[in-house]
Amino acid sequence: MRGLAFSTPIFRQLVEFQSYTYTYILGCEKTRQAVIIDPVDKTADRDIQLLKDFDLNLVYGLNTHVHADHITGTHLLRKAFPSMKSVLSRASGGKADRLVDDGEDVQFGEQKLEVRATPGHTNGCVTYVWHELRRAFTGDSLLVRACGRTDFQEGNAAALIFIGHNYNGILQTSVLEEKNLNPRLTKTEEKFLETMENLHLAHPKQLDEAVPANMKDGEVENSS
Amino acid sequence: MRGLAFSTPIFRQLVEFQSYTYTYILGCEKTRQAVIIDPVDKTADRDIQLLKDFDLNLVYGLNTHVHADHITGTHLLRKAFPSMKSVLSRASGGKADRLVDDGEDVQFGEQKLEVRATPGHTNGCVTYVWHELRRAFTGDSLLVRACGRTDFQEGNAAALIFIGHNYNGILQTSVLEEKNLNPRLTKTEEKFLETMENLHLAHPKQLDEAVPANMKDGEVENSS
């Protein structure tokens, strides 16, 4: 849609209803360069169509971490956008076109995301911070009123946090909300560790398939 | 959370994962008065908790129309916020604390929504327009790249449209996108009518229960 005269950076939040994963498209309105955060293989066609609708060229496909509950869509998106580079943290131990470290910037046109190391959920978890729009994409490091730890030293009530999942259909939160209301951020370290070690949650259904695939852009190996 | 110093109007989009219904909380940051649009009975507890987290007093529970696929949460929300008034269009034929007509305003603190008649999906369908934030809540009158008609005469690319459902996890759209990309808005009237009469969709599962209940704030009659 070439005529689409967006005058501000382009931003869309999307949901994948099987794993309740939240995916984000961010675009530079001037250069039409875009990134996608935490795409899912099952919704790759939807994401490709939306990027085309918006006349955007996908330059990076970022994952916040090696997901255990779904397979990333980066390998499928690269087929539609051959110059797309996948991005993962170096600390994840995974393979990607670009491995990033804490403090690095990922540029798309005149926009950029800052990489922040937010280990905890996995060693390689990073949060992508979009300073221009005061938005942070935490993946699973911080969820709404739930698990995680955060390194937002300059915590600000106005900054919105876009999380990786929420099983109750809550799509966003803010730093101040979580500081005040997240039961896991208001405990002592000892109590927090005790809670986290005694959650007794079932393993994600797709764990055995998803983790090895997500270590290399979601490509599933043939069992031959 | 009294200390929460929101400096702009409060806005949250929420999802109900069984019927894929999108619910919206809108609040006036100064007076702490709030409204909710298209709440669902199944997520009433979540919505009440969020309103309390934000230190908001719910003054209106609005429905865009008499829903056929889920039961409204207004009767449950009123229990937590006794001064809440339910809102439905007069054209719907339903019962509510306040019946509204095209052009009327619904005020919450210093904020307001304008009611626009957008019949088609049902006779009583209305769209609520939040001019301050350039957002429109269409219910099922207009969906992403799908069904509906719209009376947005002053269509503007910057205005965001917040829809009632999307089964692919797309959370928002814009007037310009739909004008250009919605297959049902780029047809002749004749072709459009032909398409709509030949969709052959199954009736919503909850139709028989939901419609009578939603004609009166979602209260289900006991079969005695």
Side-chain angles (χ1 to χ4, degrees):
Chain A
M1 198 159 39
R2 267 183 197 275
L4 233 175
F6 286 108
S7 55
T8 52
I10 296 143
F11 176 68
R12 283 295 163 84
Q13 182 178 23
L14 305 154
V15 191
E16 193 280 306
F17 287 119
Q18 278 188 40
S19 59
Y20 303 91
T21 298
Y22 296 154
T23 296
Y24 303 91
I25 289 175
L26 291 62
C28 169
E29 75 280 16
K30 289 191 192 158
T31 63
R32 316 309 294 178
Q33 291 192 12
V35 300
I36 193 164
I37 299 176
D38 288 341
V40 179
D41 59 349
K42 292 191 165 54
T43 41
D45 287 344
R46 173 200 68 188
D47 300 340
I48 291 165
Q49 185 60 52
L50 268 184
L51 287 159
K52 290 187 173 171
D53 284 354
F54 296 155
D55 189 30
L56 291 172
N57 180 31
L58 189 64
V59 292
Y60 287 112
L62 304 104
N63 277 294
T64 52
H65 63 293
V66 175
H67 303 278
D69 64 332
H70 69 267
I71 294 177
T72 177
T74 45
H75 63 296
L76 299 173
L77 294 166
R78 196 190 284 105
K79 289 179 185 164
F81 299 96
S83 60
M84 185 210 86
K85 288 191 191 330
S86 60
V87 177
L88 205 54
S89 75
R90 192 176 312 279
S92 71
K95 264 181 60 181
D97 299 321
R98 181 173 165 190
L99 296 172
V100 290
D101 292 303
D102 183 73
E104 224 169 287
D105 283 338
V106 176
Q107 196 90 24
F108 53 109
E110 298 180 1
Q111 298 293 324
K112 67 181 176 189
L113 291 172
E114 186 195 331
V115 178
R116 300 265 184 101
T118 49
H121 173 65
T122 72
N123 283 341
C125 278
V126 292
T127 290
Y128 298 109
V129 182
W130 196 7
H131 290 286
E132 170 123 356
L133 261 68
R134 302 184 69 74
R135 287 168 188 193
F137 304 87
T138 62
D140 299 355
S141 302
L142 180 73
L143 302 174
V144 182
R145 317 283 189 266
C147 185
R149 44 165 292 191
T150 168
D151 294 354
F152 297 114
Q153 301 300 346
E154 76 273 295
N156 184 301
L160 278 181
I161 300 177
F162 287 82
I163 68 284
H165 295 280
N166 178 269
Y167 306 101
N168 297 321
I170 298 177
L171 296 166
Q172 307 158 16
T173 185
S174 71
V175 174
L176 193 61
E177 271 171 68
E178 295 311 312
K179 273 193 172 171
N180 282 280
L181 300 171
N182 192 320
R184 295 188 193 164
L185 293 179
T186 48
K187 285 184 165 71
T188 62
E189 187 175 346
E190 193 186 3
K191 279 274 175 206
F192 173 74
L193 290 174
E194 193 186 309
T195 303
M196 296 311 289
E197 280 159 13
N198 289 285
L199 289 176
H200 304 300
L201 297 173
H203 273 200
K205 276 175 245 162
Q206 285 205 55
L207 182 82
D208 295 338
E209 189 191 14
V211 172
N214 289 334
M215 293 293 273
K216 42 186 177 54
D217 287 338
E219 308 225 43
V220 180
E221 267 177 39
N222 295 323
S223 51
S224 58
Chain B
M1 198 160 37
R2 268 187 195 276
L4 232 176
F6 286 109
S7 55
T8 51
I10 296 143
F11 176 67
R12 283 294 164 86
Q13 182 177 24
L14 304 154
V15 190
E16 193 279 305
F17 287 118
Q18 278 188 41
S19 60
Y20 304 90
T21 298
Y22 296 154
T23 295
Y24 303 90
I25 289 175
L26 291 63
C28 170
E29 74 280 15
K30 289 190 191 157
T31 63
R32 316 309 294 178
Q33 292 193 13
V35 300
I36 193 164
I37 300 176
D38 288 342
V40 178
D41 59 350
K42 291 190 166 51
T43 42
D45 287 344
R46 173 200 69 188
D47 300 340
I48 291 164
Q49 186 59 53
L50 268 184
L51 286 158
K52 289 186 173 171
D53 285 353
F54 297 154
D55 189 30
L56 292 172
N57 180 31
L58 188 64
V59 292
Y60 287 112
L62 304 104
N63 276 294
T64 52
H65 63 292
V66 174
H67 303 278
D69 64 333
H70 68 266
I71 293 176
T72 177
T74 44
H75 63 296
L76 300 173
L77 294 167
R78 196 190 286 106
K79 288 178 186 165
F81 298 97
S83 60
M84 184 211 84
K85 289 191 191 331
S86 60
V87 177
L88 205 52
S89 75
R90 191 177 312 279
S92 71
K95 262 181 62 180
D97 298 322
R98 180 174 164 189
L99 296 173
V100 289
D101 293 302
D102 183 73
E104 223 170 285
D105 283 337
V106 176
Q107 196 90 24
F108 52 110
E110 296 181 1
Q111 298 294 325
K112 67 181 177 188
L113 290 172
E114 186 195 331
V115 178
R116 300 263 185 104
T118 48
H121 174 66
T122 73
N123 283 341
C125 278
V126 291
T127 291
Y128 297 110
V129 182
W130 197 6
H131 290 287
E132 170 124 354
L133 262 67
R134 304 185 67 74
R135 287 168 186 193
F137 304 87
T138 61
D140 300 354
S141 302
L142 179 73
L143 301 174
V144 182
R145 318 283 190 264
C147 185
R149 44 167 290 193
T150 168
D151 294 354
F152 297 116
Q153 301 299 345
E154 76 273 295
N156 183 302
L160 278 180
I161 300 176
F162 288 83
I163 69 282
H165 295 279
N166 178 271
Y167 306 101
N168 297 320
I170 298 177
L171 297 166
Q172 306 159 18
T173 186
S174 70
V175 173
L176 192 61
E177 271 171 70
E178 295 311 313
K179 274 194 173 170
N180 281 283
L181 301 171
N182 191 320
R184 296 189 192 163
L185 294 180
T186 48
K187 284 183 165 73
T188 62
E189 186 174 349
E190 195 186 0
K191 279 274 175 204
F192 173 75
L193 291 174
E194 194 185 310
T195 303
M196 297 309 290
E197 279 160 12
N198 289 287
L199 290 176
H200 303 300
L201 297 172
H203 273 198
K205 277 176 244 161
Q206 284 205 56
L207 182 82
D208 294 339
E209 190 190 15
V211 172
N214 289 334
M215 294 291 274
K216 43 189 179 49
D217 287 337
E219 308 226 40
V220 181
E221 268 178 37
N222 293 323
S223 52
S224 59

